[in-house]
Amino acid sequence: MGTVVDDAASVEFHAFFERHYAELARLAHLLTGEADAADDLAADALLALWHRWDRVRAADRPVAYARGVVANLARTRIRGAVRERRRIALFWPRGEERTENPDVAGVVDVQEALRRLPFRKRACVVLRHAFDLSEKDTALTLGISVGTVKSQTSKGMAELQRLLGPQGDPRRVHAAMAARGGESGGRNR
C-alpha cells in the first residue's frame, strides 16, 4: 500500500507525463528520423525518469533533464543502428541509391538532410529550430556549453543549407522541421 508521499509523487509524475510525452516523442522522432522509435524512446525516457522521480522533481528544470535523457537514448539508438548497418554492409553491399529529379516534399528533404548531420549538430538544430529552445535551454538539455550550442547550431544550419541547395533557406528549414515534428508543438521554457 502506498503512502501519501508516494501517491503525491505518482500524481505529479502522471501530470508531467501527460504534459510532456508528446513533446519528448517529437524530439525523439526528429533526432532519430524514425517515427516508430519515437514513442519507444519517449516511453523509455519517462520510465527512467520515474525510477529517479525524487531527483528529477527536485531539479531546477525537469523538462530539460527529460530532454537530455531522450537525446542520450536517441544517440545510443543511432550508434547501434550505425553499427548494425556496417555489419550488414560487410555481407550485402548496396548499390548507390540516387534518383534524378526527385519529386518529394521539402519536409522529407529536411529530414534526410538532418540524418546526415552529426548527432550534436542535429540535436542543436532540432532543439533550437524545431522546439524553439533558447541557447541556454539547449545547452542544459544536451549537457554542453552555450558557446558549443551556438557554434554547433550555426555549423549545422550551414551544413543543412549546403545539403539542401537553393531551397535550404533557413526560414524554410525551420518551417519544415516544425511541420515534420507533428502537432505536439509548444514551448516549454
Side-chain angles (χ1 to χ4, degrees):
M1 184 171 203
T3 65
V4 174
V5 174
D6 291 340
D7 290 341
S10 179
V11 167
E12 188 178 55
F13 178 78
H14 182 73
F16 182 88
F17 179 96
E18 291 295 324
R19 273 192 317 272
H20 300 291
Y21 176 79
E23 173 195 347
L24 295 174
R26 179 176 169 227
L27 173 61
H29 183 200
L30 287 168
L31 291 176
T32 63
E34 301 175 23
D36 295 339
D39 286 330
D40 291 342
L41 288 173
D44 289 347
L46 285 161
L47 180 61
L49 293 174
W50 172 245
H51 289 297
R52 294 184 221 106
W53 186 242
D54 286 340
R55 280 189 283 166
V56 174
R57 71 198 277 208
D60 290 336
R61 295 176 174 253
V63 176
Y65 186 86
R67 289 180 186 132
V69 172
V70 169
N72 286 333
L73 289 171
R75 180 183 301 118
T76 299
R77 182 175 184 86
I78 290 166
R79 286 178 178 165
V82 167
R83 282 192 301 274
E84 182 65 21
R85 281 187 215 122
R86 286 180 183 152
R87 285 191 291 263
I88 290 171
L90 289 173
F91 300 104
W92 186 15
R94 297 182 341 187
E96 199 170 317
E97 294 179 19
R98 294 203 184 251
T99 305
E100 291 297 319
N101 301 319
D103 186 23
V104 292
V107 171
V108 174
D109 292 341
V110 170
Q111 183 180 17
E112 180 59 33
L114 277 170
R115 280 191 198 120
R116 291 180 169 190
L117 294 179
F119 181 80
R120 186 175 284 176
K121 286 180 188 171
R122 181 182 335 146
C124 287
V125 168
V126 166
L127 288 169
R128 293 281 293 128
H129 293 282
F131 282 81
D132 291 325
L133 290 186
S134 68
E135 291 164 342
K136 182 180 177 184
D137 287 341
T138 301
L140 285 169
T141 296
L142 298 175
I144 58 179
S145 72
V146 171
T148 302
V149 169
K150 289 178 182 181
S151 69
Q152 292 295 294
T153 302
S154 175
K155 290 175 184 177
M157 288 301 291
E159 183 69 9
L160 283 176
Q161 289 172 0
R162 187 189 68 72
L163 290 168
L164 294 170
Q167 74 267 21
D169 174 27
R171 290 179 302 250
R172 290 189 65 196
V173 170
H174 180 83
M177 280 196 295
R180 182 68 184 131
E183 300 90 35
S184 64
R187 291 183 190 202
N188 290 314
R189 291 188 188 239

